[in-house]
Amino acid sequence: MTSTASTAEVTSFTFGEMLSSRTVIGQTLKELGEANDNLWVLTPDIGATLVEFRDAFPDRFVDVGLSEQACVGLAAGLAYEGNIPVVSGMLPFLSMRALEQVRSDICYPNLPVKIVGTHGGLVGNGGSTHYAVEDLGLMTSLVNMTVTSIGDPLMVGEVLRQSMSMTGPLYIRLAVGKKDKVVYEPGSVTVEIGKGITAREGTDLTLFAHGETVSQALEAAEILAAEHGTDARVVDMFTLKPIDADLIQRCAEETGRFVVVEDHLAYGGLASQISDVLVDRGIRLEGFQRLGIPQVFAGFGEDTELRDKHGYGLQATVDAARDVVRGAAG
Amino acid sequence: MTSTIVRPEASVSELEDLSYELREKLLLLCGEYNGSVHIGGDLSCADILTLLYQYGMRVDPQDLRNPERDRFVLSKGHAAVCMYITMAIRGFFDYREIVDTYGQLDSAYGMHPCKVQLPGVEVSTGSLGHGLPLATGMALHARRNGMSHRVFTLMGDGETGEGSVWEAALAANSNNLGNLVAFIDRNRQLMTSFAEERVKLEPYPDKWRAFGWNVIEVDGHDMGALVTAFDSLPEPDSDTPTVIICDTVKGKGVDFMEANLAWHAGSLNETDLKRALASLAHGRKAA
C-alpha cells in the first residue's frame, strides 16, 4: 500500500518504556512539516501538544477554537487546494460532532486529510461524553476512509510518515497518548498500513487487539503460557480498514480459535470486522470470543478499572482464551 | 501582480440578458426532466450566479486549475443545476448535455454538485452549512500563501441556521480573511415555511456584523445594484471577510412560483412550462 518504515528510525526510546504518543506526534509533525511544505496542522483548541509544529510553521497552523465542524471543513478546503491537512483533537468530538463533515467534505471527494486524536476507548476518566467508544464503527463505515488504532507510540510517527503518500483520508486513533507502553523493540517490526502485526507467535489461539489492548493481550499471553501451558498468538490489528483478511485467514487456519479484545464497543469494532471476514470467506473457527465494551455508558474510573468492570481487562482476556481453548478440547 | 485570468466584460443590460437566458434554460430543463428540480431556490439565486460567473469572477473555462482563478463554493448545493447552466453559458459545460443527462444514471450533472464526477466544479456540496467552512479553508490557503484571488460562496439564508456556518464565520474573521466573500440568497423561505415565521433570523445583517464581517445589503434581483455591490468589495488582501446579503424572492421571474411554498421544488408539465415561460417573458417586457 505504501512504503514501509522500521521502528529503527526512532532509536532514542527503548522497549517497555513509557513514552508519550503526543510527544511523538509533535516531533513527527515538525519533521514532516520540514519535508512537506504543504503539510498543515489544524486543531479545535487541543493544541498544547502541537507546539513544536506551531512554532516552526505558524503559517501552516490553525487553531479554530471550539469548532470541530469548521475545523474539519477548513481542512477539506485546504486539501482541495493541494495541501495535506492533519486535524488533531479529541476523538469523541472529531468522530461524532464533525462526523458529517468527515464523511461529506473529506471522504466523499476522497481528500488526503488525516484525523489523529486521543481518547479512543474508556481512557482519560472524563466520563462518557469524553470516551470515543463507537468511533471505529463510524469510521470504518465511511467510504474511502482508512482506519487505524495505535498503541505503540513509536508506530504513530511511522504511520504519519507513511500517510504522506496516501491520496485519501486517514483516521488515527490513540488512547490517552500521554504515557503509552512501547510495545515493540525498536526495529523489530515492520509497520505497514493495511497489514496486521504478529506481535507474538503462538499456535493454540490468536488474540486480536488494537491500540492499548495490544500490550494487555501480550501480558495475557505470557500468563497463559506460564500458568496454563497455552501458546497464544497475539496480532496487533492496528489497521481496521482495510482489514488484513489474509492474515485473519492464516490465523484461523493455524490456530483455529480467536479472542478479540478491544477498547471499543464489542459490536462495531475490530471483532465485527473480523467476523465479517470469517463469514465472507466461509471460515469456521473452533472458538471465538469478543471482549469489549457492552451496551452501557461507562462511568468514571481508571482505564484498567473500567476494563475490568466491563469485562475486557487482563483477567477477562486470560479467561476468555482458556474458555475457547477448553471449548475446543471438548 | 497581474492575473493571467481576466474578468468578462459585460454591461448591466447584457448581464440582465444573460440572467434571462439562465432562467429560460432552467425552466426548459425543468420541463424536460422527468423529476423534481429545486426551481424556487434556483430562480432566487439566478441573478447572483450570473453576476459571479458573467461579471465578477476571474475564471477560465479552458484552464480549470489555474492557481490564480477565483474559487466558487456553492454552499446551497440544491441550486446545482442553476450553477451548471450558468457555467454552461460561461463556456464550462454544454447546456444540451446537461439537459439530456440531468439526474440520469452515470451523469455528471445531478441534484447536488459532485467534484469527483464533474471536475469543473470546485467542491462537492449538498448538505447545508458546509460551504462556508470549505471556502474559509480555501481562503486561508490563499491568504497564507500570498495569493491574490478571492474565494466566493453562495449560501441560502435558511442554511445559516446551521451552527457550522457560524463556526466558520468566527474562524474567517479570526484569520482576517478579507479574500472571502459570502453571498446570501435571502429569499426568506425555508422548504416548508416562510423564514421569519419559524426562525427569526432578523436582525440578520447585525448578526454578521456582530461576527466581525463587513456587511453589504443589496436587492438580489437588481443587476445594476449587484454590480455596484461587487465593485465595492474590499481588496482581497484586506482583513475583513464580506457578506453580501441579497434580498431575493424565491421563484423570481415566474409569477405563480414567486414566494409560493409549493414551488420549493417541482417539475413542469407542458402547460405549466408554457405558463412559466410566458410569465418570464412578460416580466422582461414590463421591466
Side-chain angles (χ1 to χ4, degrees):
Chain A
M1 185 174 190
T2 52
S3 65
T4 60
S6 157
T7 48
E9 284 178 18
V10 185
T11 52
S12 53
F13 310 103
T14 51
F15 178 62
E17 207 177 286
M18 301 299 265
L19 170 66
S20 159
S21 292
R22 299 187 192 188
T23 306
V24 175
I25 290 171
Q27 291 173 353
T28 308
L29 288 176
K30 187 180 173 221
E31 165 204 321
L32 293 173
E34 277 158 11
N36 302 275
D37 63 7
N38 59 345
L39 181 78
W40 286 62
V41 173
L42 298 93
T43 183
D45 194 31
I46 307 288
T49 56
L50 307 168
V51 168
E52 283 160 309
F53 185 93
R54 184 196 68 194
D55 291 347
F57 310 106
D59 284 349
R60 290 187 269 137
F61 178 83
V62 192
D63 180 355
V64 294
L66 292 167
S67 302
E68 285 82 8
Q69 296 175 73
C71 193
V72 174
L74 258 72
L78 287 164
Y80 272 118
E81 294 290 342
N83 298 296
I84 304 174
V86 176
V87 178
S88 180
M90 285 176 64
L91 294 180
F93 315 127
L94 289 175
S95 71
M96 291 188 286
R97 198 183 195 107
L99 177 60
E100 205 203 24
Q101 277 76 17
V102 172
R103 179 224 187 233
S104 293
D105 298 344
I106 292 174
C107 292
Y108 178 30
N110 197 23
L111 297 172
V113 177
K114 333 292 175 197
I115 294 166
V116 53
T118 59
H119 294 76
L122 302 184
V123 294
N125 206 358
S128 288
T129 54
H130 283 55
Y131 303 140
V133 298
E134 51 286 274
D135 60 322
L136 297 173
L138 298 168
M139 292 297 132
T140 53
S141 298
L142 300 179
V143 175
N144 289 330
M145 180 65 94
T146 296
V147 181
T148 63
S149 169
I150 300 174
D152 186 317
L154 297 183
M155 282 171 61
V156 182
E158 292 181 18
V159 168
L160 276 173
R161 267 182 223 106
Q162 286 182 30
S163 76
M164 290 300 105
S165 58
M166 288 176 69
T167 52
L170 170 68
Y171 184 81
I172 302 177
R173 180 200 220 229
L174 306 171
V176 179
K178 276 185 178 164
K179 274 176 83 177
D180 308 300
K181 207 173 280 178
V182 176
V183 180
Y184 306 108
E185 195 83 58
S188 66
V189 294
T190 299
V191 177
E192 184 183 352
I193 295 169
K195 299 285 181 207
I197 295 172
T198 304
R200 185 186 195 281
E201 287 294 352
T203 54
D204 292 335
L205 82 157
T206 306
L207 297 173
F208 286 95
H210 59 80
E212 292 218 322
T213 53
V214 173
S215 55
Q216 178 182 302
L218 284 166
E219 222 176 308
E222 293 306 318
I223 293 169
L224 286 162
E227 298 177 15
H228 306 288
T230 298
D231 185 19
R233 178 179 298 183
V234 176
V235 168
D236 178 354
M237 202 59 105
F238 78 95
T239 309
L240 281 91
K241 187 187 169 198
I243 194 79
D244 191 349
D246 289 344
L247 179 60
I248 292 167
Q249 181 164 354
R250 198 162 70 242
C251 291
E253 287 163 1
E254 292 171 0
T255 74
R257 300 144 211 156
F258 288 1
V259 170
V260 187
V261 54
E262 57 186 323
D263 201 358
H264 185 274
L265 291 176
Y267 289 83
L270 178 62
S272 296
Q273 294 285 323
I274 291 173
S275 306
D276 286 348
V277 171
L278 296 174
V279 173
D280 288 351
R281 293 199 172 192
I283 299 166
R284 294 194 62 167
L285 294 176
E286 293 161 58
F288 179 88
Q289 279 204 30
R290 63 173 87 210
L291 305 183
I293 306 164
Q295 283 286 313
V296 296
F297 283 108
F300 302 107
E302 293 305 319
D303 51 1
T304 49
E305 295 172 332
L306 288 167
R307 282 187 218 167
D308 287 341
K309 177 181 176 185
H310 294 295
Y312 63 104
L314 178 61
Q315 190 57 48
T317 309
V318 172
D319 293 345
R322 295 190 66 204
D323 282 351
V324 298
V325 171
R326 263 199 237 116
Chain B
M1 191 175 69
T2 319
S3 173
T4 54
I5 308 186
V6 291
R7 278 168 45 184
E9 303 264 341
S11 68
V12 169
S13 71
E14 284 168 333
L15 291 171
E16 285 168 347
D17 288 347
L18 290 165
S19 255
Y20 185 87
E21 181 186 345
L22 171 58
R23 285 194 168 86
E24 193 175 40
K25 284 180 165 169
L26 264 171
L27 293 173
L28 288 168
L29 178 141
C30 205
E32 289 207 29
Y33 177 56
N34 188 26
S36 186
V37 175
H38 288 97
I39 192 68
D42 287 329
L43 289 168
S44 67
C45 69
D47 298 307
I48 300 167
L49 283 172
T50 296
L51 171 82
L52 282 168
Y53 274 96
Q54 321 302 350
Y55 177 78
M57 287 203 299
R58 295 183 306 181
V59 288
D60 182 353
Q62 307 307 321
D63 190 4
L64 297 178
R65 301 267 65 84
N66 189 318
E68 294 174 8
R69 74 193 186 280
D70 289 329
R71 273 54 159 184
F72 178 68
V73 174
L74 183 69
S75 192
K76 51 174 290 183
H78 54 290
V81 69
C82 192
M83 177 178 69
Y84 303 148
I85 297 174
T86 314
M87 291 177 77
I89 292 171
R90 181 79 174 80
F92 281 86
F93 310 128
D94 176 39
Y95 172 66
R96 200 58 242 173
E97 189 190 336
I98 298 171
V99 175
D100 288 347
T101 70
Y102 182 74
Q104 293 177 20
L105 185 67
D106 295 331
S107 173
Y109 305 100
M111 189 183 286
H112 301 100
C114 174
K115 167 82 172 169
V116 179
Q117 288 167 278
L118 188 64
V121 301
E122 289 285 353
V123 301
S124 299
T125 50
S127 178
L128 296 173
H130 286 235
L132 193 60
L134 290 167
T136 302
M138 295 163 89
L140 189 62
H141 167 84
R143 171 54 55 91
R144 298 271 180 95
N145 285 286
M147 302 164 89
S148 58
H149 62 268
R150 287 194 177 98
V151 180
F152 296 94
T153 185
L154 171 61
M155 291 181 276
D157 56 347
E159 76 169 290
T160 63
E162 301 284 0
S164 51
V165 170
W166 301 100
E167 289 187 10
L170 278 177
N173 181 45
S174 300
N175 286 282
N176 308 315
L177 300 179
N179 55 351
L180 178 64
V181 180
F183 281 80
I184 293 180
D185 181 3
R186 177 90 171 103
N187 61 30
R188 295 165 193 271
Q189 276 181 249
L190 305 181
M191 186 162 69
T192 61
S193 68
F194 290 96
E196 296 301 314
E197 282 176 3
R198 304 244 173 96
V199 182
K200 292 182 179 173
L201 287 177
E202 293 293 348
Y204 195 56
D206 287 345
K207 287 187 168 60
W208 288 95
R209 284 188 197 102
F211 276 70
W213 283 53
N214 172 40
V215 178
I216 298 174
E217 295 175 74
V218 65
D219 178 342
H221 301 307
D222 179 339
M223 194 55 79
L226 282 168
V227 165
T228 304
F230 192 95
D231 289 344
S232 73
L233 281 175
E235 288 303 310
D237 63 0
S238 61
D239 285 342
T240 308
T242 295
V243 60
I244 303 184
I245 301 172
C246 303
D247 188 11
T248 59
V249 176
K250 204 160 173 175
K252 176 68 180 180
V254 178
D255 53 5
F256 61 89
M257 292 181 185
E258 287 189 4
N260 180 350
L261 290 176
W263 281 99
H264 169 76
S267 56
L268 288 169
N269 59 30
E270 212 177 313
T271 313
D272 284 342
L273 177 61
K274 275 186 191 156
R275 281 172 64 211
L277 289 169
S279 173
L280 192 65
H282 182 264
R284 183 191 215 182
K285 264 184 225 143

